[in-house]
Each structure stands twice: as C-alpha cells, then as structure tokens.
Amino acid sequence: MGRAQAEKLWLLLMPGLFVVLWSTGFIGAKLGLPYVEPFTFLAVRVAFAAILLYLVALLTRAPWPDRRTSAHIVVAGLLVHGVYLGGVFYAIDLGLAAGVTAIIVALQPLLTAALAGIFLGERIRPRQWLGLVLGLLGVGLVVQGRLDFGGGPAALVCALAALVGITLGTLYQKRYCPNADLRSAGTLQYGGNAVVLLIAAALFEDMSIAWSGEFIFALGWLVLVLSVGAIGLLFALIRRGAAAQVASLFYLAPPFAALFGYCLFDERLGPQALTGLAVVVIGVALVNWRSASR
C-alpha cells in the first residue's frame, strides 16, 4: 500500500475511530468518579495530558503558535475541556442521570448546525437537517429507558453549560485556530485547563483521591485514549470537515457508550435501544453523505 492510499484509508477510518474512543469516556468516568471528586479528577487528568503532550512536542520539535493564536487555542480548550467536561462530570456527580445528561449534550449537533451558518457561513442542506433530527431522536430512543431527573436545578444547569461549552468550543476552534499543531496546541489547552480546574477543585472540593488500581486504570485511559487520542482526532476532523458534519458524530457517542455498558457492566439493551442505534446511524449518514461520497 502506497503512502497516498494509506493516507486515504486513515482519513476514512478517522471518524469511526473518534466515535469509539470518545464513547469510552463515559466508561472511564464511571470507573474513576467513585474515588475522587469531579474537578479534582479532571484537573489531574488534564495536567498529566499537558505534561505528556509537552514532552511529545519537545521530542518531535513541534512548531509553537504566536501569542495571539495561543490565546485563541487556550480559549477553545477551556470551552471544549473545562466547560464541557466539567459540566458533564459535575452534573452526574450531583445526581443527574447519565441518560438525561446524554440527551442534553446530544443537542450539540443541532445547536452547532444552527450557529455554523452565522459564525462560519456554512450551509446546512435539508437532508442534513433531517439527519440531525433523526440522530437526536435515535439518541432519545437509546437512553429513554434510563431517564431519571435527579440532581435538581444545579445539575441541569451544569449539563446545559456542558452543551454550550462543546458547541462554542467546536465553532471557535474551527474559526480561529483550525490549523494549529495538535501537539503544541494540546499542551497549551490542557495546561490552561489544569490551572482553571485546580482552582475550581480548591474552591469547591477537598481534593482527596482514593488511589486504587481501578482509579489508576481509569485515569490512564482517560489521559491516553481520550485526552490525547480522541481529542486529537476531534481537532483533526474539525480542521478537515464542516463543523456540522463533525458535530453529527457526537450522536454516535451515547449509543456506543450504551454498547460498552452492555459489554462491560451487563447493562441490557432492549429492542427500543437497538432501534435507536439504527436511527442514529442513518441520521449521521445523511449528514455526512456528501463528504463520504467525494
């Protein structure tokens, strides 16, 4: 296989690999949160990711952005990592069910599509709008049986903040720093988030960690697979594709998380959930059909 063919194959595999890796974040959170509070967990996670990427950037002599671009990179990272992850983790920690959180965050592709026309000048075709709506309906079918509106208003606000964070972060990254090197940009983003999350942990938590084999595994998985692997793929996809098309991939995360839950935790999937999985796949295919057929 030649270099051009290998690159083409990699581009075809990137969206699917991103979805699989991103979906495992729910599993990592479920494994790790019993041993640590959410802001402390996230602060440790992004600090390790920043150190790892900094070493990679130094060893591979990655280019570093100028001061203005660096500021844009840090802002995008605070939205994607700090606001989104902090909101999701804290909402679940406050008692909001993962199913409800998934539905709220699953509004992200629709919100991204609505705002992409305003901020990026992207045109969303009727077929793509249909795919976005189908994706949301499919996610609803998958998680409907697990709905539990616990946690109170504070948990709901955290989930909504996560939705806004990931949406604005995706658009901001696409507009202001789409071509930043993933190694140096990742270092800046995780370093900035580590500072913010450490402050939040110091203000709202006791910052204690019950170290265990399960927690270390969850932390290592989230750092290497999510913070480095999945986020790197996300920003690479943002660089190459339209924001609405990339955002539609997030619809696949809750269904895949449900599949992982079935395999790892014996969480059963009924006919309704399986139907929802099929609807999600059809919806994402409609959104991305044009790019896939090029």
Side-chain angles (χ1 to χ4, degrees):
M1 180 182 295
R3 182 175 180 180
Q5 291 178 316
E7 184 176 353
K8 186 176 181 180
L9 178 61
W10 170 243
L11 293 176
L12 288 174
L13 294 176
M14 278 174 62
L17 182 59
F18 163 73
V19 170
V20 173
L21 296 184
W22 188 266
S23 303
T24 63
F26 294 96
I27 306 302
K30 184 168 184 176
L31 288 174
L33 277 175
Y35 304 97
V36 62
E37 291 177 285
F39 286 152
T40 303
F41 192 6
L42 289 172
V44 174
R45 168 184 168 180
V46 298
F48 274 114
I51 294 170
L52 177 61
L53 283 177
Y54 178 68
L55 294 175
V56 171
L58 285 181
L59 291 173
T60 59
R61 298 182 180 180
W64 291 85
D66 57 40
R67 188 172 299 178
R68 183 177 180 181
T69 304
S70 296
H72 286 312
I73 290 170
V74 171
V75 171
L78 289 173
L79 290 169
V80 172
H81 307 303
V83 178
Y84 168 69
L85 291 176
V88 167
F89 273 51
Y90 218 76
I92 294 175
D93 189 66
L94 288 173
L96 191 66
V100 177
T101 307
I103 285 183
I104 293 173
V105 177
L107 293 171
Q108 189 255 347
L110 285 173
L111 186 57
T112 299
L115 296 177
I118 299 173
F119 292 104
L120 302 177
E122 293 182 4
R123 180 188 173 191
I124 311 300
R125 300 173 180 275
R127 183 191 69 251
Q128 292 176 305
W129 280 114
L130 174 61
L132 290 166
V133 173
L134 282 176
L136 180 61
L137 291 175
V139 170
L141 287 173
V142 172
V143 302
Q144 185 181 13
R146 305 176 185 183
L147 295 184
D148 175 18
F149 290 89
L156 183 60
V157 169
C158 289
L160 291 173
L163 166 64
V164 173
I166 189 67
T167 302
L168 295 183
T170 300
L171 295 171
Y172 196 97
Q173 180 88 14
K174 178 70 176 179
R175 179 167 182 174
Y176 292 108
C177 43
N179 298 316
D181 184 90
L182 298 179
R183 297 159 294 179
S184 54
T187 302
L188 292 170
Q189 289 188 338
Y190 288 127
N193 274 280
V195 173
V196 173
L197 289 167
L198 281 171
I199 293 173
L203 290 174
F204 300 108
E205 300 172 355
D206 62 17
M207 301 185 70
S208 63
I209 301 175
W211 293 94
S212 68
E214 194 170 63
F215 172 75
I216 293 173
F217 174 81
L219 178 63
W221 184 271
L222 290 175
V223 169
L224 295 173
V225 176
L226 270 293
S227 295
V228 177
I231 293 295
L233 286 170
L234 171 62
F235 288 153
L237 289 167
I238 291 172
R239 178 185 300 174
R240 294 177 178 274
Q245 292 174 331
V246 175
S248 69
L249 297 174
F250 285 93
Y251 278 146
L252 293 171
F256 267 83
L259 285 175
F260 287 130
Y262 171 76
C263 296
L264 298 175
F265 303 110
D266 198 29
E267 297 176 354
R268 297 297 176 182
L269 293 173
Q272 179 175 296
L274 294 174
T275 301
L277 287 172
V279 173
V280 168
V281 171
I282 293 171
V284 174
L286 287 173
V287 175
N288 291 278
W289 184 265
R290 184 183 179 188
S291 61
S293 61
R294 286 177 181 174

